[in-house]
Amino acid sequence: MATPATTLTVPGPDGDREVRISSPSRVLWPDLGITKLDLARYLVDVGGAFVRANGDRPISLQRFPDGVDGEQFFSKNPPKGAPEYVRAVTVTYPSARSHPQLVVDEPAVAVWAAQMNTVVFHPWASRADDSDHPDQLRIDLDPQPGTDFHDAVPAAHELRKVLAEVGLEAWVKTSGNRGLHVFAPIEPAYEFLDVRHAVIAAARELERRMPEQVTTAWWKEERGSRVFVDFNQANRDRTMAGAYSPRALPNAAVSTPLAWDELDGADPTAFTILTVPQRLASTGDAWETMSAEPGNIDPLLDWWRRDLEDGLGELPFPPDFPKMPGEPPRVQPSRAKKA
């Protein structure tokens, strides 16, 4: 028998809102018995920090109507029946097609999304009013088989130094899984392709400094047991789980901002829906001032041009992108050799 709907009171910039939660006892994380109501309450508890990190951005919702072990789908435009306080912004995709996407302006929007069985929130790197120009440079450090979270930690520290050399301040968070996400706030003066090139330049520099630990190889067969610097996350319409977003993993992990001095001793499995609200209440939001002093990527673009002159060209794009200028063939190296 279904549990009757309940209502949560959600504080926000325009006062309290009442958000209806249907089927509140529906279990989303079966290993822990965490329900949809638990998820909604989590988003209330972390609402301010969540909106600060993910608000005012086009956002994609990763929805799990039958829990994290069941079917899932992505929802980009606001679902039908959205409350009047939920807005959308039109964005342009790599295909040149335009479409409205949801924007989170206050905690009640995130809670309403949880009512729609949203588990993971994927914000764009750009703001809603200027979606063509990212205001964040984002680098995904992705441990490959044979490596783990603790292999990504020294790579993150060295990446922080690389970015500091070009005048960018780096901020770090757990991915919620095995990796780390390193962000740097930037002036929204560059197209996505420019930001991608800046990320590739930083990634190549990191690879030069840590060749045994880090790789920019797009093809998995070439990566080995190293940490992959996923430069393609910098493309238009490519997103990663937002700060304070839950993940669809058995332990209900959360992608959690950290202070740099916490990183060496961090255990990513310790940051979950059940623990992050208390952490936030006791230690505060490690990313609270992240956007205060944006930098520019001109020095990284100088590195990009230097590398071009040295024979290092464009890298592969995701397979669903149109063919891009200067892109190498989208063929696995082992197959290309056979051909």
Side-chain angles (χ1 to χ4, degrees):
M1 182 176 178
T3 306
T6 189
T7 300
L8 282 185
T9 300
V10 185
D14 298 316
D16 291 348
R17 297 200 191 275
E18 302 298 318
V19 181
R20 182 178 181 273
I21 307 295
S22 62
S23 304
S25 63
R26 175 179 295 156
V27 175
L28 295 180
W29 283 271
D31 286 7
L32 298 175
I34 295 175
T35 66
K36 183 160 76 166
L37 182 59
D38 295 327
L39 170 61
R41 286 173 171 159
Y42 164 80
L43 291 166
V44 173
D45 290 341
V46 303
F50 182 94
V51 172
R52 189 160 49 242
N54 306 301
D56 192 32
R57 300 179 183 279
I59 199 164
S60 299
L61 309 179
Q62 191 175 358
R63 297 165 62 186
F64 294 79
D66 299 313
V68 299
D69 292 340
E71 295 294 323
Q72 61 171 295
F73 63 96
F74 280 87
S75 178
K76 295 189 174 184
N77 57 314
K80 293 180 179 179
E84 50 83 21
Y85 54 82
V86 175
R87 71 174 170 126
V89 62
T90 299
V91 298
T92 302
Y93 299 117
S95 64
R97 180 177 58 89
S98 295
H99 208 277
Q101 281 213 213
L102 183 79
V103 180
V104 174
D105 289 317
E106 58 179 284
V109 179
V111 175
W112 170 79
Q115 150 62 18
M116 306 293 292
N117 302 299
T118 299
V119 170
V120 192
F121 296 78
H122 297 264
W124 277 41
S126 54
R127 297 281 178 173
D129 62 350
D130 189 10
S131 61
D132 292 331
H133 299 94
D135 71 338
Q136 291 176 339
L137 181 145
R138 300 174 170 183
I139 299 179
D140 180 11
L141 298 176
D142 183 10
Q144 298 302 289
T147 64
D148 61 18
F149 176 84
H150 297 291
D151 294 293
V153 169
H157 282 301
E158 190 63 34
L159 178 57
R160 183 189 187 193
K161 295 177 184 177
V162 169
L163 295 176
E165 289 176 20
V166 292
L168 296 177
E169 184 176 5
W171 302 74
V172 67
K173 69 182 178 74
T174 66
S175 69
N177 198 352
R178 299 169 61 243
L180 284 167
H181 297 159
V182 177
F183 284 27
I186 60 174
E187 299 164 357
Y190 311 87
E191 298 282 352
F192 276 91
L193 187 60
D194 288 332
V195 177
R196 167 193 159 88
H197 289 161
V199 167
I200 291 174
R204 282 173 165 160
E205 182 62 25
L206 179 63
E207 184 179 36
R208 279 189 282 266
R209 298 183 186 191
M210 304 180 72
E212 301 301 319
Q213 296 83 30
V214 167
T215 180
T216 60
W218 174 247
W219 299 104
K220 291 182 179 180
E221 65 186 33
E222 296 185 322
R223 293 177 189 171
S225 297
R226 291 179 285 181
V227 174
F228 171 51
V229 187
D230 190 353
F231 51 87
N232 269 329
Q233 293 288 15
N235 287 319
R236 178 186 293 271
D237 193 32
R238 281 298 182 275
T239 57
M240 54 187 76
Y244 299 107
S245 172
R247 300 301 306 272
L249 298 169
N251 69 331
V254 167
S255 181
T256 305
L258 302 175
W260 281 103
D261 61 9
E262 295 181 284
L263 184 55
D264 287 344
D267 174 3
T269 66
F271 306 122
T272 73
I273 284 177
L274 302 177
T275 63
V276 167
Q278 180 55 44
R279 166 185 162 82
L280 192 59
S282 60
T283 66
D285 178 11
W287 278 19
E288 184 169 2
T289 61
M290 185 176 75
S291 301
E293 296 184 16
N296 73 71
I297 62 172
D298 291 340
L300 285 176
L301 293 177
D302 288 339
W303 287 7
W304 163 259
R305 287 185 284 269
R306 174 202 66 192
D307 288 344
L308 286 179
E309 292 172 0
D310 289 342
L312 295 175
E314 184 61 271
L315 291 175
F317 283 76
D320 59 325
F321 270 54
K323 184 68 176 177
M324 300 297 286
E327 183 185 2
R330 294 183 188 177
V331 181
Q332 281 180 244
S334 58
R335 293 188 177 182
K337 291 173 185 174
K338 291 177 182 178

